[in-house]
């Protein structure tokens, strides 16, 4: 009987370590919250793994764009897969949608497409002799709703023995904004504290 105790203690210790040290998804954490800084938008990120054990997570982003007066809420469903021979490294992909509100038409002022605008909107000012100042933007004061769809591809690394995850991602998105549509590319770096 005394000979069995060390084996039972070692087995219980390994179960305790596996249940506390990593989630069932193999990501090494269950929930992470932090900051996402990108070329198009930056803000807060919250990622939570579902209890299915299949590496499925929901990520929420609350961001603002550098030139915008407003913000966007994005919800993404993601599938995570471990990278062979690199403990803590995960590849993930997913899709989702977003909704936001912005003041003015700050990124549609493009002389290639909208010289006179639509529906009476003005985007570029006329200069002398009827020429356009192509580097002049028009900002109106109205607030407009924006909605769209998102894709995401990324890599993240759970730092060993520390409660942090570092990630990089590429997130292209399609958006409808005040009757106009556009396709945009965004890439970002994220740092999350894990729980």
């Amino acid at each position: 009987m005394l000979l069995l105790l060390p084996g039972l203690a070692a087995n219980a210790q390994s179960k305790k370590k596996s249940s506390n040290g990593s989630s069932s998804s193999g990501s090494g954490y269950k929930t992470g919250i932090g900051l996402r800084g990108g070329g198009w938008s930056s803000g807060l990120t919250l990622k939570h793994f579902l209890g299915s054990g299949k590496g499925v997570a929901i990520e929420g982003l609350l961001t603002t764009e550098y030139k915008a007066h407003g913000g966007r809420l994005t919800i993404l469903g993601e599938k995570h897969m471990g990278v062979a021979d690199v403990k803590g490294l995960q590849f993930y992909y997913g899709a989702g949608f977003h909704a936001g509100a912005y003041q003015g038409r700050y990124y549609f002022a493009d002389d290639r497409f909208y010289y006179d605008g639509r529906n009476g909107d003005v985007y570029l000012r006329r200069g002398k002799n009827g020429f356009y100042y192509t580097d002049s933007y028009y900002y109106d004061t109205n607030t407009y709703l924006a909605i769209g769809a998102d894709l995401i591809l990324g890599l993240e690394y759970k730092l060993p023995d520390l409660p942090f995850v570092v990630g990089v991602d590429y997130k292209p998105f399609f958006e409808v904004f005040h009757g106009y549509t556009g396709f945009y590319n965004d890439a970002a770096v994220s740092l999350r504290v894990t729980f």
Side-chain angles (χ1 to χ4, degrees):
M1 181 75 158
L2 291 175
L3 295 174
L4 294 176
L5 286 177
L8 292 173
N11 188 24
Q13 189 72 345
S14 68
K15 284 184 180 179
K16 181 179 177 185
K17 185 176 181 183
S18 66
S19 65
N20 291 337
S22 66
S23 72
S24 58
S25 69
S27 64
Y29 69 100
K30 184 74 173 170
T31 303
I33 185 169
L35 298 175
R36 179 183 188 271
W40 192 268
S41 62
S42 294
L44 298 175
T45 171
L46 173 67
K47 184 178 288 194
H48 179 74
F49 283 88
L50 303 179
S52 65
K54 297 182 179 180
V56 177
I58 301 295
E59 183 173 6
L61 304 172
L62 183 60
T63 58
T64 185
E65 295 179 11
Y66 297 118
K67 294 182 178 180
H69 298 276
R72 176 189 303 137
L73 175 64
T74 305
I75 304 295
L76 299 161
E78 299 171 350
K79 171 67 175 167
H80 289 244
M81 296 174 290
V83 175
D85 300 327
V86 184
K87 185 179 179 182
L89 185 63
Q90 297 266 319
F91 165 77
Y92 64 94
Y93 61 91
F97 59 91
H98 68 267
Y102 306 106
Q103 185 178 42
R105 298 185 57 86
Y106 63 95
Y107 58 79
F108 285 98
D110 190 332
D111 63 325
R112 293 173 298 171
F113 304 109
Y114 305 118
Y115 286 108
D116 295 318
R118 297 183 190 170
N119 300 325
D121 295 335
V122 178
Y123 302 108
L124 299 170
R125 295 196 302 266
R126 287 186 183 272
K128 292 183 179 179
N129 301 325
F131 292 106
Y132 288 94
Y133 293 122
T134 58
D135 60 347
S136 298
Y137 290 89
Y138 176 80
Y139 296 91
D140 64 27
T141 58
N142 294 320
T143 299
Y144 301 103
L145 181 67
I147 57 171
D150 303 70
L151 298 173
I152 192 165
L153 293 171
L155 280 173
E156 67 176 34
Y157 179 66
K158 169 69 173 73
L159 299 175
D161 302 323
L162 293 174
F164 295 105
V165 168
V166 178
V168 294
D169 67 67
Y170 168 63
K171 189 180 75 66
F173 63 95
F174 171 80
E175 188 165 75
V176 178
F177 180 73
H178 190 50
Y180 297 93
T181 59
F183 183 80
Y184 306 93
N185 295 293
D186 192 17
V189 176
S190 298
L191 176 64
R192 298 185 196 91
V193 178
T194 62
F195 305 96

